[in-house]
Amino acid sequence: MKNLNKASEILKTSLLLGLTSFGGPAAHIGYFREEYVKKKKWLDDKMYADIVALCQFLPGPASSQVGIAIGLMRGGLLGGILSWIGFTLPSVLLLMGFAWLISSSGSFDIGWIKGLKIVAVAVVAHALLGMGKSLTPDRPRITIALATAILTVLIPTAVGQIAIIAGAGLIGFGLYRKEEAPVPASIHLSFGKRTGVAAWTIFFVLLIGIPAIRSYFHNATIAIFDTFYRVGSIVFGGGHVVLPMLEREVVPAGWMDAETFIAGYGAAQAVPGPLFTLSGYLGQLMNGPSGAVVAVVAMFLPSFLLVIGTLPFWSAIRSKIGIQAALKGVNAGVVGILLAALYDPVFTSSIIQPIDFAIAVIAFGLLQYYKVAPWLVVLVTAILGALSHLFFG
């Protein structure tokens, strides 16, 4: 009964996040922190930042991987699966619906989504203040965060981001390696290193084996699985980086034209949840509902395997004094990356007119000072955004 209640709580919490987490990966990190750290208290800010930093290093959708990791820590393998289902299912179903709409009418209007983009500004700013207090308590770490933010804006590439995080870790190691480090809270997992090794093995076997199988069997399901699994395995830098990779896979192959692909990308930004659920839209157009299911599973399966394969070893690695020193720098770097994301793409893509900024200020005030529930702030901001679009365009 206890395990059943825990599983139910994981699914319920992640589903709420899947229905309300608009704004892209940076905003998702803010929503997750509010729900899992501040409200549920399933982990503290330091552990949360450690998980965020780990997922930034892995290929795939970082915010989804953070949710999967928290689900694994809370409820084992089932908890990880339920966490993923709750967070991704709403946007998958919406995007499958968009695909049906596109194939039926050829167009749709997402002007009403304006407020849902604006709320991301408030969510990221709110998370930035909270994480900054915990993870940058002294001048050296504040300096690391500011430098990281500047470099991230100036070098907006996936490779650059990984190098910046690694650099922050090296600085942290140099500054804090001689300090006495507290014993870190252990990550309680229901599986061990053998499961981790098995997950890594499956990851590479599929990555190498599926393309070979595809070359012998000309089957739509195998082709879709191969396409999305391969992209999900090698993409660094989040959802916006996956766009050109997927376009090169599905448009030249004749699955759809470029205009239909871009329409789906616009739809993916108009719904809550991870941008990688664009795979549901593409799979639906490629081979109907079964194609959508195959595409979504293949797109996120690498993330599951990588997180399951890494977490058991992460528990041992992060307990070392030198690693803890490096993590102080890395966690400060995560704050800097969040600060950079607040500017681009969150602010630059959402705040176009003065009225947009006014709505963002209202949303931030509701979150930061009036302690209004995030889902309600999303609703209020969506209404304000719709009214703004109606009267100001």
Side-chain angles (χ1 to χ4, degrees):
M1 182 63 70
K2 182 179 179 181
N3 289 337
L4 183 62
N5 290 338
K6 186 176 288 187
S8 175
E9 184 183 23
I10 292 170
L11 180 60
K12 179 181 176 181
T13 303
S14 60
L15 184 60
L16 176 63
L17 288 166
L19 289 167
T20 58
S21 294
F22 293 90
H28 299 163
I29 297 302
Y31 284 109
F32 285 1
R33 178 183 176 273
E34 185 68 26
E35 190 67 28
Y36 292 130
V37 178
K38 303 300 290 183
K39 185 176 178 181
K40 297 293 185 182
K41 300 187 185 304
W42 288 355
L43 65 170
D44 59 20
D45 259 330
K46 186 178 183 305
M47 176 73 77
Y48 181 66
D50 285 357
I51 296 299
V52 172
L54 171 63
C55 294
Q56 294 282 0
F57 277 108
L58 297 174
S63 60
S64 298
Q65 289 170 329
V66 170
I68 292 169
I70 293 173
L72 290 168
M73 291 161 58
R74 182 69 179 173
L77 295 176
L78 177 61
I81 293 171
L82 292 176
S83 182
W84 171 73
I85 289 174
F87 186 54
T88 58
L89 185 61
S91 56
V92 167
L93 294 177
L94 286 170
L95 288 171
M96 288 175 66
F98 274 128
W100 175 83
L101 182 62
I102 284 290
S103 60
S104 301
S105 65
S107 66
F108 60 92
D109 180 15
I110 57 170
W112 58 270
I113 214 71
K114 182 177 183 178
L116 299 177
K117 295 177 68 177
I118 293 173
V119 75
V121 177
V123 170
V124 174
H126 178 61
L128 183 63
L129 285 178
M131 293 181 72
K133 289 179 181 178
S134 300
L135 303 176
T136 56
D138 50 40
R139 285 189 177 182
R141 276 179 277 185
I142 291 173
T143 303
I144 292 173
L146 294 176
T148 299
I150 293 169
L151 291 172
T152 301
V153 170
L154 295 177
I155 313 173
T157 64
V159 174
Q161 179 171 303
I162 293 172
I164 290 165
I165 293 176
L170 288 173
I171 295 171
F173 177 79
L175 291 173
Y176 300 106
R177 71 184 187 281
K178 294 182 179 178
E179 290 189 3
E180 184 176 346
V183 178
S186 59
I187 299 177
H188 298 288
L189 299 171
S190 62
F191 55 92
K193 293 180 181 179
R194 287 186 179 180
T195 303
V197 171
W200 276 103
T201 302
I202 294 170
F203 170 79
F204 284 111
V205 167
L206 290 176
L207 185 61
I208 297 169
I210 296 299
I213 294 173
R214 180 181 179 179
S215 66
Y216 285 99
F217 299 95
H218 298 288
N219 177 277
T221 299
I222 295 174
I224 292 171
F225 188 94
D226 171 51
T227 296
F228 288 92
Y229 184 86
R230 189 160 24 86
V231 171
S233 298
I234 61 177
V235 62
F236 286 90
H240 297 284
V241 180
V242 81
L243 172 67
M245 297 183 69
L246 282 175
E247 187 172 24
R248 286 193 296 268
E249 291 284 345
V250 303
V251 174
W255 292 105
M256 66 194 68
D257 58 35
E259 290 75 19
T260 302
F261 180 89
I262 294 299
Y265 182 64
Q269 296 187 81
V271 300
L275 196 57
F276 276 59
T277 52
L278 173 64
S279 54
Y281 167 89
L282 299 176
Q284 171 79 17
L285 291 175
M286 292 163 78
N287 200 34
S290 64
V293 172
V294 172
V296 171
V297 170
M299 192 72 174
F300 286 92
L301 182 58
S303 294
F304 260 103
L305 295 173
L306 290 170
V307 172
I308 291 171
T310 306
L311 273 183
F313 299 97
W314 186 240
S315 301
I317 292 170
R318 66 188 291 276
S319 65
K320 308 298 182 183
I321 292 176
I323 296 297
Q324 288 192 58
L327 282 174
K328 287 184 178 181
V330 169
N331 291 341
V334 168
V335 174
I337 289 173
L338 196 61
L339 175 58
L342 175 60
Y343 167 68
D344 184 18
V346 176
F347 192 96
T348 56
S349 65
S350 304
I351 308 301
I352 310 300
Q353 306 175 75
I355 187 63
D356 300 339
F357 183 73
I359 294 172
V361 169
I362 292 171
F364 177 76
L366 292 175
L367 279 172
Q368 181 70 21
Y369 302 110
Y370 292 90
K371 311 300 181 185
V372 177
W375 70 267
L376 187 55
V377 176
V378 169
L379 179 61
V380 170
T381 311
I383 293 171
L384 292 176
L387 293 173
S388 168
H389 183 70
L390 179 65
F391 291 108
F392 298 97

